[in-house]
Each structure stands twice: as C-alpha cells, then as structure tokens.
Amino acid sequence: MKKSLFLTVLCLVSVVNLNASSFYLNPGHGGHDSNDRPTPLPLGVDIFYESDGNLVRGKALGAILQGMGHSYKLSRTTNTSSDDLALSTIAANANSYGGYFNSLHSNGANASANYIIAFYKGTQSSNSTEAISPSKNMAYQAAVWQDNNKLTDVTYSTPRAGNDYAWNGWNYGVLRTNTRPGYLTESWFHDYRPEALRMKSDVYNKYLAWQMARAYIASPGITGTLKGCIIGDIRDVTKTCGYTSYTTRNRDAKLALNGVKVVLKNSSGTQVATMTTDNNCNGFYGFFDVAAGTYTLEVSKSGYTTQTTSVTVAVKTSTLKKFDMVEGSNSGITASSYSVNMGSVTIGNSSTKTVTITGTGLSSNITVTSGNSMYTVSPTSLAKTGGTLTVKYTPTAAGTHNNSIVCTSGSYKITITASGTAVNPPLTFTQVWNYSEKSTANTPSWATDKTKLRNMDFGGGKLYVVNPSDGVIHVINAQTGAKIKDLNMTGVEGGALKVVDCKYIGGKIVASNIATSANSTPLKVYVWDNDNAQPRVLLNTTSYGGMDRIGDCIDLDGNLTTGTLYFAAGGTSTANKVLTYSITNGVCATTPTSLPLTTDDGTGIVLGLSPRVLPSGTDKFWAIGQNYYPTLCGSDGVATHTLNPAALSNDCAGNEFKAFTFKGTQYGLATTYKPASTAAGRLTLGRVTLLDATEGWASADSIGAYPSAGLGTTRNTSFSSSVAVAVNGTSGVEMWVLIHNQGIAYFKNGTVPTYNLEESTTPTITLSPSGSQSFTAQINATQQKTITVGGSNLTANVSLALSGTNANMF
C-alpha cells in the first residue's frame, strides 16, 4: 500500500459548533507535479494522473451533496501546480471552512494490489482510538460503501478503515493539524491498470463519488434525497483484454468493449436515458438520479448480439449489471455468464457454481468439455436448447487455477472461463516442550530461572540460549530441551552485559555485548567457529556513531566472510540509527555506516528498549522495538510499511519478528503480550503470534498464538524476546519462542527432521607432524604423571585418545 503510506492524511482533534451540512473536499495532488505519479496505460490510452481522477471525483461529490441540500468547498477546482497546496495549508483552510473533511486519493503499490481503505486520525496517547468522533465510523462507512458493487478484481475482501497513527506510528500531514471530523480515502489502486482504465472514465468517477455520498448518509447521518443508480461493465469474455504487459485478473483480463450503446427504458418501454461506453478500454456505463422502479437495459454494438435485461432500482441503492456480449447473430450458443469465479477454496473442500446454457437454432446436442482436472462439469452433454451446467472446483494444490469450459454444437462453440484460488488449511502448531512460569513440570536446571533467559537462535538442531546474568551461552538440544553444554566463554568480557544476543550463521555462532557511551565501553562481537571452539573477537570498537547504547540485538546480512552486521543504536528516548559494520574477507570494519530511522515526514523514530533491525535481503530492513510494530524501512531508513497492528492486538511491545514461507504461503511470527489498558498490566503472558501475510504485511491476519495461555505473568520489562523458525520443505515447520522473565517453549507442525547431536565422549589430542607435547594426568589429589609425545618425519598429524572405562576422568 505504498501510496497511502507516503500520503499525508487527514486527522481531527476537537470540534465546536459543527456544521453537519457543509463539506470541505480536498482532491489530492494537483498540476501533474512530482508527487503526482504518472501511470502509463496500455492500448494507446492516454497516461493517467491521480490528480485528474481526484478532481473529477471531488467535483462530482460536491455536485451530488449540493443536490441533496448541502454546501461544499473544493481545495482546488483546476489542475495546475499552483493548486497543489501544502498539506498544512489544506488543513488550515478546512479548519477555517468548518464542516466535514474528505481528502480524495487513489492508491498505488505494486501494479497488482487493489482494494479500498480510508484513514482517520489517531492519537499518540492512545494509538487505537480516533482523535475526534465520528471520524472512525465515517471512514469505515466510506470503505464499506466504496467496496459495494465492485466492478474490479479485489485483493483484499474486507472493507478497511485505518487509524493512521496505529497504522504507521505517526499522523499523516493533511490530518495532523486538521480539527475537522473526516478522513482520507484511497479509492482503489491506480497502478493496477484495469482500475486506472476505469478511472479514466468520468462516469466511473461519478459512481465513486455517489458511493461516498451514500456513506455520509450512514455516517454522520446526513439527510437529503439520493436517488438510485445503475452501473456495470460490458465485455467480450471470450477474448483477452488485449495487453499482457500489466497484471490483470479474472473478469479484468477479458476484453472491455468501447463504443457500446446503452439505453435505459422505463416500465412502459420509453427511453429515459442513453450513453455510450468511452474509448478508454474500460467498458463502464452508469446511470444516475434514477427513480425507484423497474427498468429495461438494452446494449448494442456492431458485430455483437443485442442484449436486454430487466433491472430494479431503489433509492439510495446502486444496482449492478454486467454484460457479456457475444459476437454474431442470435443463432448459436449463449451462456448466462462467460466468466465463473469459484472463489477461495481450502484444499480438501469444493466450490460449485451453475451456468445457464441456451441453444438457438442448433441441429445437434451441446457437448461440454473441461480442460483442468481440478474442475468437473456436469452434465457433459446438453439438449439442443441448452440447460443448466454445474461447475465444481476441487483444488489439490495451493494457488490460482484457471479452466476453460468449451460448449460445442456443430460449428457453434463458446468458451466459459472459470477461476478459483486454493489455499492451504490454516497452519497450526503442537507444543512439544514448555519451560515457563505457566508450565513448570520437568523443567531442566538451565531453564529454571526465567530471568536469566534473554535471547536465542537456532541452527543445526540446537538452540543457542543467551544467559547474560551468568555470562554464558547454553547449547540446547532444540527438540528435546536437554542441555548439551555451554559455549567456551574464554576472553568474553566487558560491557554493560558481556553477552546479550547471538545468531547462528552457517555453523558458526556470533554474539554481541551491550556497549554504552556513559561507561566508554567498546562494542564487542565474538565468533565461535563451532560448539567446541574458543571464541575469537570479530569486532572491538568504541565507534558507534555517537549513540549512547548499542548491542541489545544483533543481526547479520550475508555471512562471516562477506556480510554486514546490523545494530539499532540508541537509548530509550533517543531517535534510533541503524549502524552497519561491513565484513570483507572475514575482517570486520571498526567504523560503521550510520543511517537515521525516520517516518515519511522526516521525524526520527524512537524504537525504545531492546531495539532490533532485521535485514530483509533486499536492501530493506524491519525495525522493531518497545514503541513500534514491525515496520519495513527502505534503504534510506524511511519507514514504508507497518505490520498490521490489529493482527498484534494493537500492542507494539514485542521486539522480535520472523518471516517464512511454507507451502507457498507467506507467514510471520511476532512476539506479543496479553493486551492491557494500563502500563502495569502490559508485558505479561508473552507468546508468539502466527500471521498469514497472503494479502501483504499491512493486511496480515493473526491465525494463532503460541502458547495460547502465554508463558508467564512476570512482566518483561527489558522487552527482550526471541523467535526461531525452521522450515522442513513442505513437510513441517519447527518454531521456538523465548520471552525474558517468562520462559521458553518449542512447537512443531507436520514432519520435522531428527538431528544427530551425539558428541564424542573420548578426549582427543592432535600434534603437528614434527612437534612434541607434554601432558599431565592427575591421578589423585597428590599424584601426577607427565607423558611427553613427539613426532619427526611424519606425513600427518598425530592424534591421541584416552580410552578405557574411566577415560573421562583424565
């Protein structure tokens, strides 16, 4: 949802003497300037500018409201650079005019996404609430009514209204100082080209304006007469849309017809209105100010069979009628629909639709064939006059599946396209072990004191659990929870905590301390080349960008030969910077590259306690901490996308996030806590929330919490937490969660590998081919025995081993 995150939105604070019958309308952008991204269009249609559609929509909305007995003012009436006012000026003008506020925009993201969203102003003190009533309900109704009678293919099925502060952690500019109730609307995505072609139509923009006016009747509850309307599109669904350079889906992938004449007749057969679809390849038609009653629609175009249908219109209601035009005369085969949407189906289930087939002047029965084994049709033969055809979709794999159903009689043939999307059954996990305050049975000694468990990572079947209190890293059998050993900590020293976080990288373990400017302590990063190795120092530096604290969390992009260490530096009230230390040929630079974290308006981001940055592998990274939901930032450090706050129960206290893909579905894991209304009630019952991000991170849904009862009731005042995940192809997933002060637990789904973690119990010693070494064996408290072993003219190292029943005593 790129555009809506970059736009500054409207927000509202307090209102006195509200004039409920006046509206200040702000058609976004203006003048085809740099912030008004041009959208090239296919099929020779002129380029689309968002400002053009916004202005047509704004003028149409104003006219409709005026016709209902209300007054309005537009922030601009032409499309020039001088009309592109500063956002603060727009807000000030709206405050001066009074009434309700609406900033009209269309959206943009990845040339594929397409949905409706409206934003209302939130508050910093309570980022889940509106700044002024009834903005929240107004925004929701605007989303609901614009989502009604969709003519487009939608990538998010639920109408959405968002609190701008809860969404991003800041207020949009046009709302920030705005004191009027209202919202900012993002009316579909103009870089989804079929939608941009529709937005080239003044008639379509008038329909979007009609929907907004209808929403005002729902909230805030304005009065006035709003008649019905009839809308729809006209396509030849036996042909493709005519371009392949941009994303299209379902009906949008079919040929939209230009130059179709549409006639509206009343119940007496008298023509009351007519129009012709424009030449912008959208096939859209619409009639407005239609009184309640029954009407007939007639559509005609040279080379196509004329069609008529009856429609019923009610006040304050839009009536949708789509036409699938057929080439040729009325003889042959026709279908009630040439495009069948089977919807979203969970694997193991089915979806069934019916289509009416009509035969005219045929000399033989109609044969029906299906081209995809996931689809079945019945019957496979219809009478010459046609009949009802049943289409059944039973998917066996995740993804979108299309099918062509061909109906043939002699030389006559039609093709019906069917499409459906299969989704995997919801991912669930089963608990294997749980060493937490809420589950105390069989807890091993290493996990008894939950205050000593701070961070962890997984690799090679083992968990590496950091115990900063004792200054050690435990090596744990990840599947059994049994302790294998502690890493050798020789030479690990210094810092507020000498070790606090670790990462497993290609068989090696990397860990960091906490360094603070107040104590002039160096930042240290250590590497263990394997579980039995002594640590070596990778980084020892007092250069940490002038920041007051660093090291709480460590991450790495690449590897320990060529890679980059990532840290979020800064104290609890300091705007954070991302500090990166490059690794070249295994050597780490001691001077970092510093990058400020900011919102889109340049405001510094204060992540708070236990700040973490997670490289995404695409020059972008996630930032997360005490004060922020997981937020994706660009390579310039500017926040662009925020993980859906609602999926995290609108609590941003978690500081860990992991993304993974399983069976083609994008998932995420984020540490969360039990929601609480007071500060004293927060940070308890820590857990990991499982997210389904099929619709993108900003629209991610929560599909589970593990453990559901939480790990413990002791507040995690350090905000430290860890999540690890291991995906076993399409067979299964393992997941571990650690919450400081509360405990650690392991969950799995499906079939996971068994790791061979046995270590040799026989001590071994290796000499060089020409070296010598003396060894001392302690026999008892007073006796020792020294053995000297040497080698010369050997071609390989000398290995020695202690053997026997009591070898491990030596």
Side-chain angles (χ1 to χ4, degrees), residues 525-753:
V525 175
Y526 304 92
V527 176
W528 288 259
D529 291 308
N530 55 63
D531 290 358
N532 298 311
Q534 276 195 192
R536 56 184 173 88
V537 177
L538 176 67
L539 175 63
N540 183 345
T541 183
T542 55
S543 176
Y544 34 92
M547 305 304 287
D548 49 0
R549 184 180 174 104
I550 190 172
D552 289 87
C553 301
I554 184 174
D555 218 300
L556 184 142
D557 189 20
N559 54 53
L560 291 173
T561 300
T562 304
T564 305
L565 293 174
Y566 275 76
F567 295 94
T572 58
S573 59
T574 308
N576 291 91
K577 292 182 179 180
V578 178
L579 297 188
T580 56
Y581 297 82
S582 61
I583 303 172
T584 304
N585 295 325
V587 178
C588 187
T590 56
T591 301
T593 298
S594 177
L595 182 67
L597 280 175
T598 67
T599 63
D600 61 348
D601 63 358
T603 302
I605 291 176
V606 182
L607 294 175
L609 286 171
S610 295
R612 188 185 295 273
V613 286
L614 308 167
S616 68
T618 58
D619 291 330
K620 298 181 179 180
F621 53 86
W622 291 91
I624 180 174
Q626 169 191 3
N627 302 322
Y628 265 72
Y629 301 102
T631 300
L632 188 63
C633 300
S635 58
D636 57 359
V638 177
T640 59
H641 293 71
T642 300
L643 190 66
N644 182 13
L648 305 180
S649 301
N650 294 304
D651 189 331
C652 62
N655 90 314
E656 177 66 299
F657 170 70
K658 287 286 192 302
F660 67 97
T661 300
F662 182 58
K663 293 184 178 180
T665 299
Q666 178 70 70
Y667 294 102
L669 294 167
T671 50
T672 58
Y673 300 87
K674 174 187 176 182
S677 57
T678 64
R682 297 181 70 205
L683 305 176
T684 65
L685 303 182
R687 66 199 75 183
V688 64
T689 294
L690 176 64
L691 307 161
D692 185 328
T694 301
E695 300 292 342
W697 295 115
S699 306
D701 292 319
S702 170
I703 58 173
Y706 300 91
S708 58
L711 288 169
T713 56
T714 300
R715 299 179 70 239
N716 178 17
T717 52
S718 77
F719 291 84
S720 292
S721 60
S722 289
V723 171
V725 61
V727 179
N728 183 29
T730 59
S731 299
V733 182
E734 296 175 280
M735 177 262 289
W736 298 263
V737 56
L738 183 155
I739 305 292
H740 185 214
N741 290 343
Q742 297 177 23
I744 183 172
Y746 165 50
F747 304 84
K748 70 175 183 177
N749 165 276
T751 302
V752 299

Side-chain angles (χ1 to χ4, degrees), residues 75-116:
S75 64
R76 64 182 177 94
T77 57
T78 60
N79 203 4
T80 63
S81 296
S82 61
D83 287 322
D84 195 6
L85 304 177
L87 299 173
S88 58
T89 301
I90 295 170
N93 291 345
N95 295 338
S96 176
Y97 183 75
Y100 298 104
F101 178 75
N102 187 344
S103 186
L104 296 90
H105 295 266
S106 56
N107 217 331
N110 55 13
S112 177
N114 197 32
Y115 53 84
I116 287 291

Side-chain angles (χ1 to χ4, degrees), residues 42-55:
L43 305 174
V45 179
D46 288 342
I47 199 167
F48 173 84
Y49 285 90
E50 181 187 348
S51 61
D52 293 334
N54 295 341
L55 182 58

Side-chain angles (χ1 to χ4, degrees), residues 409-431:
S409 174
S411 61
Y412 297 103
K413 180 173 70 173
I414 64 169
T415 299
I416 301 168
T417 59
S419 64
T421 301
V423 296
N424 291 306
L427 181 63
T428 59
F429 287 91
T430 301
Q431 180 174 289

Side-chain angles (χ1 to χ4, degrees), residues 48-198:
F48 173 84
Y49 285 90
E50 181 187 348
S51 61
D52 293 334
N54 295 341
L55 182 58
V56 173
R57 219 156 37 250
K59 287 182 175 181
L61 177 57
I64 293 172
L65 290 170
Q66 189 174 56
M68 296 173 67
H70 305 287
S71 60
Y72 74 97
K73 183 177 179 63
L74 290 169
S75 64
R76 64 182 177 94
T77 57
T78 60
N79 203 4
T80 63
S81 296
S82 61
D83 287 322
D84 195 6
L85 304 177
L87 299 173
S88 58
T89 301
I90 295 170
N93 291 345
N95 295 338
S96 176
Y97 183 75
Y100 298 104
F101 178 75
N102 187 344
S103 186
L104 296 90
H105 295 266
S106 56
N107 217 331
N110 55 13
S112 177
N114 197 32
Y115 53 84
I116 287 291
I117 190 166
F119 289 100
Y120 57 93
K121 181 181 180 181
T123 65
Q124 296 184 19
S125 60
S126 179
N127 63 8
S128 62
T129 59
E130 61 187 354
I132 181 170
S133 178
S135 300
K136 179 178 180 179
N137 193 40
M138 288 174 65
Y140 174 73
Q141 293 298 333
V144 167
W145 283 97
Q146 284 202 74
D147 193 70
N148 186 43
N149 280 359
K150 294 181 280 281
L151 286 145
T152 182
D153 193 272
V154 184
T155 58
Y156 190 84
S157 59
T158 305
R160 308 178 67 198
N163 172 326
D164 66 339
Y165 192 86
W167 194 270
N168 298 312
W170 63 85
N171 293 125
Y172 290 114
V174 77
L175 294 179
R176 191 170 297 131
T177 58
N178 200 314
T179 61
R180 312 314 303 163
Y183 49 85
L184 179 147
T185 52
E186 296 279 11
S187 296
W188 306 108
F189 284 60
H190 56 248
D191 63 347
Y192 174 58
R193 272 22 183 227
E195 190 65 29
L197 292 171
R198 275 184 285 272

